[in-house]
C-alpha cells in the first residue's frame, strides 16, 4: 500500500534521508521512530508529494508519487508537523475548503465535514476561527483535515504532539480505529506511543533505517538472555547459592541490601521461563518475595542502542537518555492517571531507566 | 477548472475575512474620489475660461479633461496598492505552513497559481467597480464617449493583471511579506520608468526599453485606442510572470 524504495534526499551537501526503503501493508499502522532531525519529516514529505526525492521512488496506493502526483495525493491524507490551518477561517469553512480541493462535491461537503469533525471531536469549535484555537484543537482540526476525504493512506507527522493526556488516548484510539480501512504511517518520538498503537516500527537515525520490526520483536530480539528482576527480603542471608540451584538459571547477580529488601537479578537462557521455579525456591527458603518482574529491554533502550554510535555514547548516556526518560515518564504517568492504559503499555520495563546499564 | 475556482474563491474570501479588502477598497475609493473632484474642478475652470472668451460656456471634451488624467492617476495608485495585495499570496502560505496543505492536495501547481492569480484579480476588479459610480455621474451630467472609457478600463485591467503576475512571482520566492511587497513595488517602478534612460542609450536599446515599459503601452488605451500590439504585450507579460512563478514554486520544491 505504501512503498518507499531507496529514497535519498539531499539538501545541497547535507544528506537528510539516505537510501531508505520500507513498505507498509494495507490496513497496517507503521510507527516511524527517530530522534529529532533523523529525517522523519523529510521522508513523509517525499511520500506526500510535497517534495521530490533526489533518488529512489515512493509508491502510495499503487501510484508513483512523482509520476502520477494528483492520483497519489487523492489517496493520501497528510497531517504535517504544524497543522496547516488558515487562521482567518472558521473550522467549518476550513474543512469545507479542504473538502472542495479534494474534489468532494458541493452536496457531500457538509456531511463529510460533519463526520470528520465528529471523529476528531472538534464539532464544538466548528464556528471558531482556526487562529484562535488551542494547540490541542489545532492538532485535531489538522487530523480532521487529513481524514476528511477518506483517503486510503494516512501520513501523520507527530499526531499527538501538543495534546493533553485524555486527548492523546482518544487520538490513539481514533488512529487504531482508522487502521482497518486505512494504511497509516505515524511519526513520533514518544516511545510508548509506538508500542501502544503500531504494528510495525521503523527506526531511523541520521537518515538511515536502523531497524524495522514489530515492537514486540524489537524488544525481544535485542536481549540475548532472559533476566528476572527480584526484590527479596532474605533477612541477611545470601540468596545466590540457593537460586543457582534452580534448574534453568544460568547466573545470579546481587544488589546491595536496602531498606526495601535486596535487588537480585536472575539470568536464564533465552526462551526459558524460570519464574515459577524461582518463586518456589524463594518461598521454600522462607524469604519474603517483595517484587518479581521480567526485565526486558524497553524501547527506549533499544532506541538508544540503535541510534547511538560509540563515540557519542558517553554524552548521550547522560543528556538525551534522560530527556527520553522524562518524556516517557510523563507519558506513562498521564496515561496511568486516566486509567485507560492499554495492556501492552503497562509493561513495567517501559518505565525502566534507560540510562541504567 | 473546478480547482482553480476553489483556490480563487479562497483567495478572494481571505481578503474579506481580514481587514485587507475593506482598507484597500475604501482607501482606493477615497483617492479616486479625490482625483475625480480635482479633475472636475480643473475642467469646470477651463470651461468657464473658454466661455468668457467665446461667449457662453463651451462644452469641452470630458474624456480628454477628466478621464485621461483620472486613469493615469489610478495607474499610479495601483502601482502602490497591488504589491500589498499580492505580497501575501505565497509568502503567507509558506510562513504559516498552509502551503504544505495545498502542495499535498490533489491540485496541480498551475491550478494553484491560476487560482491565486484570479483571486487577486477579482479583488482588483472590485476596486475598479467602485470607480464605475463616478463614471455614472459623468454620464448623468455630461456626454463622455463610452468607447475610450471602456478601452481605458481594459488598459487598467491588463496593466493591473501584469502587476499581479509580477507580485505573485516575487511572493512565491520569499516567505516574508514585507520583502515580497517592497521587491514587487521596486520591480514595477523600474518597469514603469524604463523609458527615462531610453533617449540616452542609443536608438536600439532605447526602442527595447520603451517597448518593455509598462506605462508606454497604457497610453494608447486611455486615448481610446485598442492596439493588438499593446494587448499582446500585456498578455505575454502576464503569461511570462505566471510561467516564472510556476518555475519558482517547482524550484522551491526541489530545494525543500
Amino acid at each position: 500500500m505504501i512503498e518507499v524504495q531507496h529514497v535519498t534526499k539531499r539538501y545541497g551537501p547535507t544528506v537528510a534521508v539516505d537510501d531508505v526503503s520500507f513498505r507498509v501493508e494495507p490496513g497496517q499502522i507503521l510507527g516511524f521512530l527517530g530522534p529529532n532531525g533523523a529525517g522523519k519529516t523529510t521522508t513523509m514529505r517525499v511520500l506526500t508529494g510535497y517534495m521530490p526525492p533526489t533518488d529512489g521512488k515512493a509508491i502510495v496506493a499503487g501510484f508513483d508519487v512523482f509520476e502520477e502526483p494528483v492520483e497519489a495525493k487523492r489517496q493520501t491524507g497528510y497531517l504535517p508537523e504544524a497543522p496547516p490551518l488558515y487562521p482567518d477561517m472558521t473550522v467549518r469553512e476550513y474543512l469545507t475548503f479542504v473538502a472542495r480541493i479534494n474534489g468532494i462535491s458541493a452536496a457531500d461537503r457538509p456531511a463529510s465535514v460533519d463526520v470528520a469533525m465528529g471523529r476528531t471531536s472538534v464539532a464544538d469549535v466548528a464556528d471558531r476561527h482556526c487562529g484562535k484555537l488551542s494547540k490541542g484543537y489545532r492538532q485535531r482540526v489538522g487530523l480532521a483535515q487529513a481524514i476528511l476525504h477518506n483517503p486510503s493512506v494516512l501520513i501523520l507527522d507527530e499526531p499527538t504532539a501538543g495534546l493533553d493526556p485524555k486527548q492523546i488516548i482518544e487520538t490513539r484510539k481514533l488512529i487504531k480505529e482508522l487502521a482497518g480501512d486505512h494504511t497509516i504511517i505515524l511519526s513520533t518520538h514518544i516511545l510508548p506511543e509506538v508500542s501502544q498503537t503500531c504494528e510495525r516500527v521503523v527506526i531511523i537515525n541520521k537518515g538511515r533505517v536502523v531497524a524495522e520490526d514489530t515492537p514486540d520483536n524489537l524488544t525481544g530480539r535485542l536481549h540475548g538472555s532472559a533476566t528476572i528482576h527480584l526484590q527479596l527480603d532474605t533477612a541477611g542471608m545470601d540468596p545466590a547459592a540457593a537460586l543457582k540451584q534452580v534448574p534453568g538459571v544460568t547466573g545470579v547477580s546481587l544488589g546491595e541490601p536496602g531498606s526495601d529488601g535486596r535487588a537480585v537479578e536472575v539470568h536464564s537462557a533465552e526462551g526459558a521461563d524460570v519464574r515459577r521455579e524461582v518463586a518456589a525456591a524463594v518461598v521454600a527458603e522462607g524469604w519474603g518475595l517483595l517484587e518479581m518482574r521480567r526485565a526486558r529491554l524497553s524501547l527506549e533502550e533499544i532506541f538508544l542502542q540503535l541510534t547511538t554510535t560509540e563515540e557519542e555514547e558517553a554524552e548521550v548516556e547522560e543528556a538525551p537518555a534522560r530527556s527520553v526518560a522524562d518524556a516517557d515518564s510523563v507519558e506513562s504517568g498521564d496515561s496511568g492517571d486516566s486509567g485507560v492504559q492499554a495492556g501492552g503499555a503497562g509493561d513495567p520495563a517501559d518505565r525502566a531507566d534507560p540510562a541504567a546499564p | 477548472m473546478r480547482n482553480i475556482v476553489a483556490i480563487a474563491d479562497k483567495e478572494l474570501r481571505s481578503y474579506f475575512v481580514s481587514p485587507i479588502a475593506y482598507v484597500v477598497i475604501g482607501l482606493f475609493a477615497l483617492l479616486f474620489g479625490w482625483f475625480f473632484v480635482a479633475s472636475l474642478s480643473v475642467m469646470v475652470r477651463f470651461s468657464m475660461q473658454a466661455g468668457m472668451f467665446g461667449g457662453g460656456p463651451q462644452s469641452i471634451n470630458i474624456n480628454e479633461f477628466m478621464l485621461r488624467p483620472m486613469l493615469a492617476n489610478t495607474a499610479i495608485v495601483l502601482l502602490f496598492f497591488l504589491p500589498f495585495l499580492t505580497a501575501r499570496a505565497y509568502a503567507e502560505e509558506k510562513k504559516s505552513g498552509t502551503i504544505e496543505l495545498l502542495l499535498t492536495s490533489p491540485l496541480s501547481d498551475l491550478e494553484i497559481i491560476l487560482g491565486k492569480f484570479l483571486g487577486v484579480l477579482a479583488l482588483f476588479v472590485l476596486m475598479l467597480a467602485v470607480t464605475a459610480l463616478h463614471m455614472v455621474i459623468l454620464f448623468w451630467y455630461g456626454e463622455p464617449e463610452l468607447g475610450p472609457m471602456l478601452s481605458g478600463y481594459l488598459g487598467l485591467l491588463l496593466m493591473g493583471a501584469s502587476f499581479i503576475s509580477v507580485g505573485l512571482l516575487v511572493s512565491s520566492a520569499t516567505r516574508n511579506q514585507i520583502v515580497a511587497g517592497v521587491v514587487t513595488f521596486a520591480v514595477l517602478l523600474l518597469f514603469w520608468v524604463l523609458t527615462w534612460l531610453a533617449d540616452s542609450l542609443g536608438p536600439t536599446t532605447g526602442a527595447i526599453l520603451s517597448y518593455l515599459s509598462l506605462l508606454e503601452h497604457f497610453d494608447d488605451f486611455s486615448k481610446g485606442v485598442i492596439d493588438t500590439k499593446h494587448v499582446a504585450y500585456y498578455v505575454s507579460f502576464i503569461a511570462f510572470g505566471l510561467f516564472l512563478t510556476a518555475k519558482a514554486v517547482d524550484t522551491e520544491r526541489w530545494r525543500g
Side-chain angles (χ1 to χ4, degrees), chain A residues 9-11 45 48-54 70 73-74 76 78 80-89 93-94 97-98 100-103 145, chain B residues 2-3 5-7 9-11 13-14 17-18 88 92-93 96-109 111 116 253-256:
Chain A
K9 176 73 190 175
R10 290 191 202 92
Y11 300 110
R45 284 179 163 178
T48 52
Y50 179 70
M51 51 169 63
T54 316
V70 172
K73 288 171 186 176
R74 191 164 285 139
T76 312
Y78 175 41
E81 213 169 350
L85 310 182
Y86 290 102
D88 289 331
M89 289 188 193
E93 281 167 355
Y94 171 70
F97 169 68
V98 174
R100 192 171 175 188
I101 58 175
N102 276 291
Q145 165 272 124
Chain B
R2 213 182 46 202
N3 290 334
V5 175
I7 300 287
D9 185 31
K10 183 222 103 190
E11 288 294 312
R13 269 167 208 265
S14 72
V17 292
S18 69
R88 57 190 291 283
E92 188 168 288
E93 302 245 21
S96 68
T98 47
I99 193 73
E100 216 161 338
L101 172 71
L102 295 184
L103 293 185
T104 58
S105 293
L107 305 168
S108 69
D109 285 1
E111 285 173 332
K116 284 184 173 289
R253 225 178 214 177
W254 281 94
R255 278 191 315 179

Side-chain angles (χ1 to χ4, degrees), chain B residues 78-155:
Chain B
L78 294 180
L79 182 71
F80 284 92
F81 273 38
L82 290 180
F84 289 105
L85 291 183
T86 54
R88 57 190 291 283
Y90 268 94
E92 188 168 288
E93 302 245 21
K94 284 203 223 173
K95 191 145 204 171
S96 68
T98 47
I99 193 73
E100 216 161 338
L101 172 71
L102 295 184
L103 293 185
T104 58
S105 293
L107 305 168
S108 69
D109 285 1
L110 194 66
E111 285 173 332
I112 299 173
I113 292 165
L114 287 178
K116 284 184 173 289
F117 175 73
L118 292 179
V120 187
L121 193 67
L123 184 66
F124 169 52
V125 169
L126 286 177
M127 283 166 67
L128 287 184
V130 172
T131 66
L133 185 69
H134 302 91
M135 300 303 145
V136 170
I137 296 174
L138 284 187
F139 275 103
W140 197 269
Y141 292 102
E143 286 165 351
E145 290 174 66
L146 185 63
M149 191 181 282
L150 292 181
S151 77
Y153 271 98
L154 177 66

Side-chain angles (χ1 to χ4, degrees), chain B residues 159-207:
Chain B
M159 192 168 61
S162 310
F163 290 1
I164 292 169
S165 83
V166 171
L168 276 187
L169 170 61
V170 175
S171 182
S172 71
T174 175
R175 54 171 55 227
N176 188 314
Q177 292 191 44
I178 295 179
V179 170
V182 170
V183 172
T184 307
F185 177 68
V187 169
L188 292 180
L189 194 61
L190 205 64
F191 266 100
W192 193 269
V193 298
L194 271 182
T195 44
W196 288 6
L197 276 182
D199 297 335
S200 43
L201 284 176
T204 321
T205 326

Side-chain angles (χ1 to χ4, degrees), chain A:
Chain A
M1 210 45 160
I2 302 176
E3 211 175 333
V4 176
Q5 296 173 353
H6 306 288
V7 164
T8 298
K9 176 73 190 175
R10 290 191 202 92
Y11 300 110
T14 334
V15 183
V17 172
D18 189 6
D19 195 25
V20 164
S21 303
F22 59 86
R23 52 179 292 142
V24 193
E25 302 302 330
Q28 218 176 34
I29 309 183
L30 177 92
F32 208 43
L33 198 61
N36 290 330
K40 299 189 298 270
T41 298
T42 304
T43 310
M44 292 190 145
R45 284 179 163 178
V46 167
L47 268 174
T48 52
Y50 179 70
M51 51 169 63
T54 316
D55 209 354
K57 65 181 188 177
I59 294 166
V60 168
F63 299 103
D64 185 311
V65 177
F66 294 93
E67 303 296 326
E68 301 155 294
V70 172
E71 286 78 7
K73 288 171 186 176
R74 191 164 285 139
Q75 301 293 327
T76 312
Y78 175 41
L79 170 65
E81 213 169 350
L85 310 182
Y86 290 102
D88 289 331
M89 289 188 193
T90 66
V91 172
R92 191 184 296 278
E93 281 167 355
Y94 171 70
L95 292 175
T96 306
F97 169 68
V98 174
R100 192 171 175 188
I101 58 175
N102 276 291
I104 297 175
S105 70
D108 295 338
R109 274 174 222 153
S112 41
V113 167
D114 283 337
V115 169
M117 287 198 299
R119 295 194 93 164
T120 52
S121 353
V122 292
D124 47 330
V125 292
D127 297 313
R128 293 249 299 269
H129 284 106
C130 292
K132 298 218 165 80
L133 297 178
S134 68
K135 180 82 176 86
Y137 272 118
R138 294 173 60 85
Q139 195 72 26
R140 281 183 289 157
V141 173
L143 195 57
Q145 165 272 124
I147 63 172
L148 184 67
H149 54 296
N150 206 18
S152 54
V153 168
L154 277 175
I155 296 177
L156 310 172
D157 202 349
E158 302 193 3
T160 57
L163 301 182
D164 69 34
K166 188 162 169 285
Q167 294 164 345
I168 288 178
I169 291 163
E170 283 167 2
T171 305
R172 286 180 189 157
K173 208 170 131 240
L174 172 65
I175 292 172
K176 284 186 133 172
E177 279 171 26
L178 291 167
D181 317 324
H182 306 70
T183 308
I184 302 177
I185 294 188
L186 69 87
S187 83
T188 181
H189 50 240
I190 302 167
L191 298 151
E193 184 155 299
V194 172
S195 44
Q196 283 170 45
T197 33
C198 304
E199 291 148 38
R200 285 188 80 76
V201 187
V202 166
I203 299 183
I204 181 171
N205 186 41
K206 292 185 179 159
R208 287 179 159 278
V209 172
V210 290
E212 184 190 351
D213 216 329
T214 64
D216 282 344
N217 282 353
L218 272 182
T219 46
R221 193 178 83 188
L222 283 147
H223 58 122
S225 64
T227 301
I228 302 167
H229 180 86
L230 299 170
Q231 202 75 30
L232 297 179
D233 178 9
T234 56
M237 290 164 66
D238 186 345
L243 289 174
K244 275 181 187 154
Q245 300 300 313
V246 177
V249 171
T250 54
V252 175
S253 46
L254 300 176
E256 287 304 306
S259 57
D260 192 29
R262 186 167 201 170
V264 179
E265 279 186 350
V266 176
H267 307 285
S268 63
E270 170 72 356
D273 188 355
V274 295
R275 283 176 296 178
R276 281 174 202 82
E277 291 79 358
V278 169
V282 169
V283 172
E285 295 288 335
W287 300 325
L289 180 53
L290 305 177
E291 188 184 340
M292 173 188 264
R293 65 180 158 86
R294 226 169 168 177
R296 297 169 82 197
L297 271 184
S298 69
L299 265 179
E300 275 88 354
E301 290 167 281
I302 294 161
F303 184 68
L304 284 174
Q305 271 186 17
L306 290 170
T307 60
T308 312
T309 55
E310 288 201 355
E311 62 268 30
E312 275 178 319
E313 221 142 54
E315 17 168 341
V316 169
E317 207 91 291
E318 285 307 308
R322 196 138 295 155
S323 71
V324 173
D326 288 346
D328 178 29
S329 65
V330 168
E331 268 295 299
S332 357
D334 289 336
S335 336
D337 287 343
S338 38
V340 198
Q341 185 116 11
D347 189 346
D350 275 352
R351 277 171 220 158
D353 182 3

